Amino acid sequence: MALTRKGAATKQRIIEGTASEIRRHGVFAMTLDDVMERTSTSKSQLFHYFPGGKEELLLAVARHEAARVISDQQPELSALTSWSAWQDWRDKVVSRYREQGRDCPLQMAVSQAGSATEGAQAVATELLEQWQHELATGIRHMQGLGEVDADLDADHSAAALLAGIQGGVLIFMSTGRLTHLEAALDQGIASLRRRAASRGSQAGVPRNPRAGQND
């Protein structure tokens, strides 16, 4: 359905308002009446933009929040070109989840929309693929600089780092503690640096004392 500029703005307002309601009250307590009141929309408007009702609205919220996961890490995520840049990205990820708090609209919206549904799976898959692609691109850049082993599988390493991050996020959501997320990020980055240092020493090539310090 093609929307006018005003219609697109209204639809976006409903999505953002729903995400705010989820943060404020949780997805279980949130009702469509809450959304309508918060966004100053009528029931007819709500179902005009989301004819599938609450499930369709929650999927739209999930897509919106998934896009935010990536955009909130920019520009650092797309500029992993030195170890200091990786550290800056690491700090931004931690800050993002600290500011967001334990209530994650993306996680709650996907779970309530039905994690087994095709739409929910597509949202999660697209987010993880894009995130992994950005990390793998950063690893390949560091390989080009000689700061990461050239024979390292960048996609596999990015997948492992991302899995650690997601595990840390889930623990944070359960406990309110960011230490596991920080540990996953620190160990993942340290592993990339360690392998490069180890390879240089095994090859009998003196490692440039400035390598890894191009910060």
Side-chain angles (χ1 to χ4, degrees):
M1 176 178 63
L3 297 176
T4 63
R5 181 177 298 180
K6 183 178 179 181
T10 300
K11 184 175 183 178
Q12 186 63 24
R13 187 174 78 248
I14 294 171
I15 292 171
E16 293 177 359
T18 304
S20 296
E21 282 297 307
I22 291 174
R23 288 192 181 91
R24 184 178 178 185
H25 299 297
V27 72
F28 296 107
M30 184 206 76
T31 67
L32 293 182
D33 286 337
D34 294 329
V35 174
M36 288 185 287
E37 181 178 355
R38 185 180 187 93
T39 60
S40 300
T41 51
S42 65
K43 190 171 185 178
S44 61
Q45 281 181 303
L46 192 66
F47 280 91
H48 171 71
Y49 295 111
F50 305 98
K54 188 173 182 178
E55 182 172 326
E56 184 176 347
L57 175 57
L58 287 174
L59 279 176
V61 171
R63 292 189 189 97
H64 169 71
E65 291 295 319
R68 280 194 58 189
V69 170
I70 299 298
S71 64
D72 285 352
Q73 297 177 60
Q74 301 294 8
E76 288 81 359
L77 180 59
S78 295
L80 298 172
T81 57
S82 68
W83 291 125
S84 64
W86 279 82
Q87 183 65 34
D88 289 342
W89 164 73
R90 176 263 187 216
D91 293 343
K92 192 156 195 177
V93 171
V94 174
S95 294
R96 180 201 186 277
Y97 285 101
R98 179 180 292 113
E99 292 169 8
Q100 173 186 275
R102 294 169 62 181
D103 294 326
C104 174
L106 171 61
Q107 182 71 22
M108 290 188 282
V110 168
S111 65
Q112 280 301 291
S115 58
T117 66
E118 188 174 322
Q121 287 181 349
V123 170
T125 299
E126 183 177 344
L127 165 62
L128 295 175
E129 286 180 348
Q130 184 178 356
W131 201 344
Q132 182 175 326
H133 172 75
E134 294 278 12
L135 293 173
T137 298
I139 292 171
R140 290 190 181 96
H141 184 92
M142 298 302 284
Q143 287 175 316
L145 296 177
E147 293 297 322
V148 173
D149 285 0
D151 62 355
L152 191 71
D153 186 323
D155 290 308
H156 189 76
S157 297
L161 179 54
L162 181 54
I165 293 170
Q166 288 300 292
V169 169
L170 287 175
I171 292 173
F172 168 60
M173 290 174 60
S174 299
T175 66
R177 297 179 181 177
L178 280 164
T179 50
H180 295 81
L181 174 60
E182 293 175 312
L185 286 161
D186 292 341
Q187 287 297 312
I189 295 172
S191 177
L192 294 174
R193 300 187 71 159
R194 237 184 351 259
R195 281 182 58 93
S198 172
R199 181 176 176 81
S201 121
Q202 287 174 4
V205 178
R207 184 156 173 76
N208 182 348
R210 294 179 61 85
Q213 299 179 13
N214 53 334
D215 312 15

